[in-house]
């Protein structure tokens, strides 16, 4: 594995709610190696966005990190003061959201916004504008120079997502976090954005944390994948390995439900039976046990160990034999 751009160790956090604490992330350990694209996949409520917001230190006020470290650039992001974190955001770490309007200001032209985010650079305003136009051109914006004076609402959803990506890339971040960036797009636009991100990774020489509930998108773009279930990493490893030899019953179920992999025409897509558990009361044993069709007696009582399956592939399940490699 290359050096790690992002190195998350034993991260746990909870949200305070009127009904009690929600243990949304529990002992998350995962890394993004330098120059690689790492996918984080899981159903709704598995903690994907919470994980991204924890890295950006943009968690809502009711969140408390209870353990762990988020290693980046030789330090721990959790120990930085707010000013240092602000300097890092959008500069060394950039994030693109599902809704591009989250990061675009509706009342300023995109050219003004793309110049604004370069405020730390010493280049002249004309040079910054040229850089902005180049970034727009790079993400496939036709006639980029003349688009700089237009406002976000004057673009389609797909183009707005390209603009958000160009905004993120103009600073050449070491880490780009893409949170469900293709979810709101139709399949054609989704394929275009995935293609674009794949190309851009070479440009920025950076690493991408690609968060999605869509296994097809993850398979298209990622080198590695982390499978998150109810706030825990249940399996992780190189993408080809996870898709060809998934070890965890949850990963197998996710793959079985992936529309792209269902060969027979059907109007009803399969879903994994049962619901993501209530994270206010995390039971002993395996977190997936209530939904697992192959559970054995000890699954309800004993927390499964992380089993090393070889080649950087790890699965948290009692049924994965010890010393598999
Ligand atoms: P989705 O794909 O639907 O966005 P997700 O995998 O990103 O889901 P999160 O949004 O990170 O999941 O949520 C993880 C868990 O934390 C869920 O149980 C959610 O209800 C809970 N949660 C998230 N934000 C808060 C909050 N501000 N207060 C209380 N609970 C929260
Ligand atoms: Fe299923 Fe048991 Fe494995 Fe959990 S540990 S995934 S319940 S078999």
């Amino acid at each position: 594995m290359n050096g790690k751009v992002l190195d998350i160790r034993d991260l746990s956090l909870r949200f305070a709610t009127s009904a009690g604490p929600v243990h949304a992330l529990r002992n998350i350990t995962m890394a993004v190696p330098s120059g690689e694209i790492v996918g984080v996949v899981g159903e709704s409520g598995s903690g994907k966005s919470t994980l991204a917001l924890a890295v950006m230190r943009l968690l809502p006020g009711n969140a408390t990190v209870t353990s762990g470290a988020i290693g980046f650039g030789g330090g721990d992001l959790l120990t930085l003061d707010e000013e240092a974190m602000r300097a890092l955001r959008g500069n060394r770490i950039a994030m693109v959201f599902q809704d591009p309007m989250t990061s675009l200001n509706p009342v300023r032209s995109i050219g003004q916004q793309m110049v604004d985010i370069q405020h730390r650079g010493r280049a002249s305003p004309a040079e910054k504008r040229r850089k902005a136009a180049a970034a727009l051109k790079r993400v496939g914006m036709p006639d980029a120079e003349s688009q700089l004076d237009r406002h976000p609402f004057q673009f389609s959803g797909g183009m707005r997502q390209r603009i958000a990506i160009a905004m993120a890339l103009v600073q050449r971040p070491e880490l780009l976090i893409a949170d469900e960036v293709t979810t709101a797009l139709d399949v054609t636009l989704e394929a275009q954005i995935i293609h674009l991100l794949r190309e851009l990774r070479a440009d920025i020489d950076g690493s991408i944390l690609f968060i999605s509930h869509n296994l097809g998108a993850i398979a298209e773009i990622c080198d590695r994948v982390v499978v998150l279930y109810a706030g825990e990493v249940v399996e992780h490893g190189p993408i080809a390995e996870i898709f060809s030899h998934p070890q965890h019953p949850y990963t197998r179920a996710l793959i079985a439900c992936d529309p792209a992999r269902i060969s027979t025409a059907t109007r009803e897509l399969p879903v994994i039976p049962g619901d993501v558990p209530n994270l206010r009361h995390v039971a002993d044993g395996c977190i997936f046990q209530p939904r697992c069709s192959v559970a054995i007696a000890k699954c309800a009582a004993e927390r499964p160990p992380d089993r090393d399956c070889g080649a950087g592939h790890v699965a948290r399940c009692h049924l994965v034999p010890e010393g598999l490699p």
Side-chain angles (χ1 to χ4, degrees), residues 248-249 286 288-289 292 294-296 299 304 316-319:
H248 197 282
C286 173
F288 190 55
Q289 186 270 342
C292 184
V294 293
I296 53 176
C299 297
R316 182 175 290 181
C317 174
H318 285 303
L319 294 187

Side-chain angles (χ1 to χ4, degrees), residues 207-254:
S207 313
I208 302 177
L209 185 63
F210 184 83
I211 294 171
S212 179
H213 66 278
N214 180 344
L215 269 180
I218 296 260
E220 281 284 319
I221 193 173
C222 297
D223 301 298
R224 290 168 198 277
V225 62
V226 173
V227 182
L228 209 57
Y229 180 71
E232 282 184 28
V233 174
V234 295
E235 185 160 15
H236 64 95
I239 195 89
E241 175 64 23
I242 298 276
F243 275 86
S244 57
H245 303 106
Q247 295 294 320
H248 197 282
Y250 177 61
T251 313
R252 289 190 183 143
L254 272 184

